[in-house]
Amino acid sequence: MNIKLDKLENKKNINNFEFKYLEDGVYIQINNDAENEISLSDVLEQINKKHIREYDLEAIVNAINDKSDFVKFAPKQEEILIDEEVLIDISEDKMSGYVTLLPPDGGRNIEFDEFINKVKEKIKYGLDYEKLKEIFENKLYNKKICIAQGKKPVAGKGGYIKWYFNIENICKPQILKDGSVDYRNLNIINNVKKGELLAERIPATNGEDGITVTGENIPSIKGKEVSLKVGKNVILSENGYAAYALKDGQVVCRNGKIVVYEVFEIAGNVDNSTGNISFNGTVRIKGNVITGFCVKAMNDIEINGVVEGAVIESNGNIIVKRGIQGYHKGKLISRGNIYTKFIENSDIYADLDIHAEAIMHSKVISGNNIEVNGKKGLIVGGICKAKNEIKAKTIGSPMGTVTVLEVGIDIQLKSKYAEIKNKINEVKLNLEKLDKTIKLFTRLAKSNNLSDEKRKLLIKIIDSRKVLINQLNDLKEQLSSIEEKIKMQTNGKVKVEREIFPGVKIVIGNSIMFVREKLGPCTLVNIDGEIKITSFE
């Protein structure tokens, strides 16, 4: 039969295809110019809606796969006429309302008042009447359009603690006019007097209720209250809103509690006369810490003399005013900062910054920055690692002493990156399996061997494939985000105020540079995966 498509009754495209009712049967017409691919499940849904009988699934699958323009798939039958319809969708959280206007398929158009009333049957709040008018007048068919927004509840502001002392306890040493560093007056200890106000609790506030598009009230959440907890040598006011010191001493915040520690002082050396020291406050040592002894404190440790081959551990800062001569036995571990005159033949670790005038033949690790200044400002021999920055006046020596400096890169980020890459590979493998199954079912359909059960399974497989595609895209976005963070981690810097000698190895992120000739003053940075020499900052 010779069919003239331009004389066929014009019907609105539904999902890039439409049905034609002719004298010899029902045809499917494919719109190959459409942007989106045709979904088999959408075709079957429309067939069910139009009550088309005795359809040929194989013909439909072939039409979709081959992108045929015009294919007969059912015998001659009367067309079921469909009126213009309004679909109302409410988001899961009931904070958004959507309208989808479906075109008539041989049926009648609804009136505007009828359109509005259907919408208002479900949506009671936040309607955009101008948007509804635009949809109706312009006949924006088959588009799910947001026409209502609920009002989100406004949470109350959380309570907070107003502190009257420096809870971060961060301090940098002063550089004197002659270039030396003053490690004697760091003022990093929060000294308080008996009866002094230490902190106040500011209560939380109430919020503002919200409302869903269906008219339901959403209770606001009151701001979260915080508790003001006190420990040793601290008392709360009668109403529980203020904390005061009971004794003179050092105030700190430990494990969420305000505590005033009394300072433990040692007039001479830590040696046989004192034994090892373990104290839950601040320790001040007037003399030296001799080889073989150990000093531990829950707060700061301040040593006026020298640390020899001893072990010093602190949950606060460590201050060694003269220096550390470890004799390859000395070890300092601080959960805060370390300040010292010099470091030699020692293992040093600080969660925060490390400050010294010289670091020689030692292993020094900082969770933030290493700064070597003063008159010498020298790093020579050993290994220095910092998360962000290492700064010194001179690095290495004219003798080519092997010296390693490392900055940048976060180990946890690298682990997360590898985990997501593995997930992406797993999703790709599952997609390949689904694609093979879809091809197999298509071949069965062509040979009339596709049962009703397998047809249903095919639709589920196609839907599963869409889910995996979305999952793959999400994982790729996460991977891209982590890659950006890793790039940021490589922004560590090595700053040299005077000179850096051959024999020095620089590691920034994943990049390595061996210094072959004397450089400086300069700043070494990682640019696009390569260590570059820039001007001193």
Side-chain angles (χ1 to χ4, degrees):
M1 181 179 179
N2 189 16
I3 302 170
K4 295 183 179 179
L5 297 180
D6 56 345
K7 291 185 179 180
L8 295 175
E9 181 183 357
N10 181 29
K11 299 183 183 294
K12 186 71 179 178
N13 276 359
I14 300 174
N15 296 325
N16 308 319
F17 65 89
E18 60 180 309
F19 301 144
K20 302 292 185 179
Y21 291 76
L22 303 181
E23 293 178 358
D24 66 329
V26 184
Y27 287 72
I28 181 170
Q29 182 171 346
I30 306 295
N31 180 7
N32 288 318
D33 294 329
E35 294 182 359
N36 300 321
E37 292 185 2
I38 297 172
S39 167
L40 176 60
S41 57
D42 287 343
V43 175
L44 295 178
E45 180 183 347
Q46 187 63 11
I47 287 174
N48 183 59
K49 189 174 182 181
K50 295 285 286 183
H51 298 287
I52 298 174
R53 305 179 307 278
E54 300 176 17
Y55 61 88
D56 184 346
L57 178 61
E58 180 182 356
I60 296 169
V61 172
N62 289 338
I64 293 173
N65 289 340
D66 300 337
K67 296 185 177 180
S68 304
D69 289 336
F70 204 67
V71 175
K72 178 181 174 181
F73 70 96
K76 179 182 177 182
Q77 51 197 278
E78 289 296 325
E79 179 180 5
I80 303 299
L81 302 182
I82 300 173
D83 293 340
E84 189 176 44
E85 292 184 59
V86 180
L87 299 182
I88 309 297
D89 290 300
I90 307 293
S91 62
E92 286 188 16
D93 60 3
K94 298 184 180 180
M95 295 303 292
S96 299
Y98 300 87
V99 160
T100 305
L101 186 60
L102 300 180
D105 198 351
R108 73 176 187 87
N109 287 319
I110 62 174
E111 299 295 331
F112 181 72
D113 288 343
E114 183 182 357
F115 173 62
I116 294 296
N117 289 335
K118 283 182 176 290
V119 173
K120 291 173 71 174
E121 285 176 5
K122 291 187 177 181
I123 299 179
K124 311 295 184 183
Y125 176 84
L127 273 172
D128 185 345
Y129 287 95
E130 289 298 321
K131 179 64 70 176
L132 285 170
K133 185 177 179 182
E134 178 188 350
I135 294 167
F136 185 85
E137 291 181 349
N138 296 318
K139 299 300 181 185
L140 302 178
Y141 289 132
N142 300 314
K143 293 183 179 180
K144 186 177 178 180
I145 299 172
C146 183
I147 45 83
Q149 289 288 346
K151 177 186 175 185
K152 292 184 178 181
V154 178
K157 293 183 179 179
Y160 63 95
I161 305 299
K162 184 177 180 181
W163 304 99
Y164 290 92
F165 63 94
N166 179 14
I167 63 168
E168 294 182 349
N169 203 20
I170 296 174
C171 182
K172 294 184 70 173
Q174 297 261 334
I175 299 177
L176 303 178
K177 292 181 179 180
D178 64 357
S180 63
V181 181
D182 182 7
Y183 290 101
R184 298 177 183 272
N185 301 295
L186 293 171
N187 297 318
I188 63 173
I189 297 175
N190 292 307
N191 293 306
V192 294
K193 297 291 185 181
K194 180 180 178 180
E196 188 173 331
L197 176 63
L198 305 178
E200 284 185 292
R201 180 171 74 87
I202 308 302
T205 62
N206 294 319
E208 184 178 340
D209 288 353
I211 185 169
T212 68
V213 294
T214 55
E216 300 169 53
N217 185 66
I218 307 174
S220 63
I221 300 173
K222 184 179 178 181
K224 187 177 181 181
E225 294 286 4
V226 295
S227 58
L228 185 58
K229 297 180 180 180
V230 300
K232 185 178 179 181
N233 297 328
V234 181
I235 190 172
L236 283 176
S237 60
E238 288 185 6
N239 61 10
Y241 281 77
Y244 296 89
L246 281 176
K247 291 187 177 182
D248 294 350
Q250 182 185 23
V251 59
V252 294
C253 190
R254 287 281 182 261
N255 299 320
K257 290 184 178 181
I258 304 172
V259 181
V260 173
Y261 290 122
E262 296 175 87
V263 178
F264 180 71
E265 291 192 357
I266 297 172
N269 297 333
V270 174
D271 53 20
N272 289 327
S273 64
T274 63
N276 293 328
I277 305 297
S278 179
F279 186 60
N280 66 347
T282 294
V283 174
R284 289 179 181 165
I285 300 167
K286 299 291 186 181
N288 307 319
V289 182
I290 306 303
T291 298
F293 288 90
C294 177
V295 178
K296 295 183 180 181
M298 290 296 294
N299 204 12
D300 297 334
I301 297 176
E302 186 176 338
I303 302 166
N304 286 352
V306 175
V307 173
E308 297 181 356
V311 175
I312 313 294
E313 293 185 28
S314 167
N315 279 359
N317 301 306
I318 297 177
I319 306 155
V320 184
K321 293 183 178 179
R322 288 183 61 188
I324 306 162
Q325 173 52 273
Y327 303 117
H328 302 290
K329 297 178 181 179
K331 180 181 292 186
L332 272 70
I333 301 172
S334 168
R335 299 304 169 195
N337 305 287
I338 292 179
Y339 307 88
T340 185
K341 189 82 170 176
F342 67 87
I343 299 168
E344 186 171 358
N345 297 316
S346 303
D347 285 351
I348 310 294
Y349 175 84
D351 279 358
L352 300 178
D353 295 341
I354 296 174
H355 297 268
E357 288 190 26
I359 298 176
M360 297 168 284
H361 309 290
S362 298
K363 182 179 180 180
V364 180
I365 301 174
S366 164
N368 196 35
N369 301 317
I370 296 175
E371 188 169 343
V372 185
N373 44 34
K375 290 182 179 180
K376 291 184 178 181
L378 170 67
I379 298 176
V380 60
I383 300 173
C384 289
K385 298 182 180 182
K387 182 179 180 181
N388 295 319
E389 182 177 293
I390 297 176
K391 182 179 179 180
K393 290 184 176 179
T394 303
I395 300 175
S397 73
M399 302 298 293
T401 306
V402 176
T403 307
V404 180
L405 274 62
E406 295 185 21
V407 292
I409 214 63
D410 190 316
I411 295 174
Q412 291 182 346
L413 270 181
K414 291 186 74 175
S415 175
K416 184 68 176 176
Y417 179 84
E419 178 186 341
I420 292 179
K421 286 209 74 172
N422 289 335
K423 287 182 179 178
I424 287 175
N425 292 333
E426 184 180 339
V427 171
K428 286 181 176 179
L429 185 62
N430 289 333
L431 279 171
E432 289 178 6
K433 293 178 180 178
L434 289 183
D435 287 340
K436 289 179 181 178
T437 305
I438 291 171
K439 288 181 181 178
L440 173 62
F441 279 24
T442 302
R443 286 198 300 269
L444 291 173
K446 288 180 179 180
S447 59
N448 296 319
N449 290 324
L450 193 64
S451 63
D452 290 339
E453 185 179 344
K454 287 183 178 178
R455 286 173 188 163
K456 293 178 182 178
L457 180 58
L458 176 58
I459 293 173
K460 289 182 180 179
I461 291 172
I462 292 171
D463 290 339
S464 297
R465 188 180 188 279
K466 290 178 181 178
V467 171
L468 285 178
I469 289 294
N470 291 334
Q471 185 179 346
L472 181 62
N473 291 334
D474 289 342
L475 287 170
K476 286 180 178 179
E477 286 182 9
Q478 292 180 42
L479 192 69
S480 177
S481 175
I482 290 177
E483 285 174 345
E484 289 300 317
K485 290 179 181 178
I486 288 177
K487 287 179 182 178
M488 292 176 64
Q489 289 294 325
T490 61
N491 287 340
K493 296 179 180 180
V494 175
K495 297 181 179 180
V496 187
E497 187 176 343
R498 292 176 184 160
E499 54 196 357
I500 180 169
F501 290 94
V504 175
K505 176 184 176 182
I506 305 293
V507 181
I508 304 179
N510 294 322
S511 302
I512 300 174
M513 171 184 172
F514 294 93
V515 178
R516 305 297 185 187
E517 58 184 20
K518 188 168 71 170
L519 305 171
C522 64
T523 298
L524 302 172
V525 296
N526 188 324
I527 300 176
D528 297 329
E530 184 178 352
I531 297 178
K532 300 287 187 180
I533 302 168
T534 63
S535 60
F536 177 74
E537 301 176 7

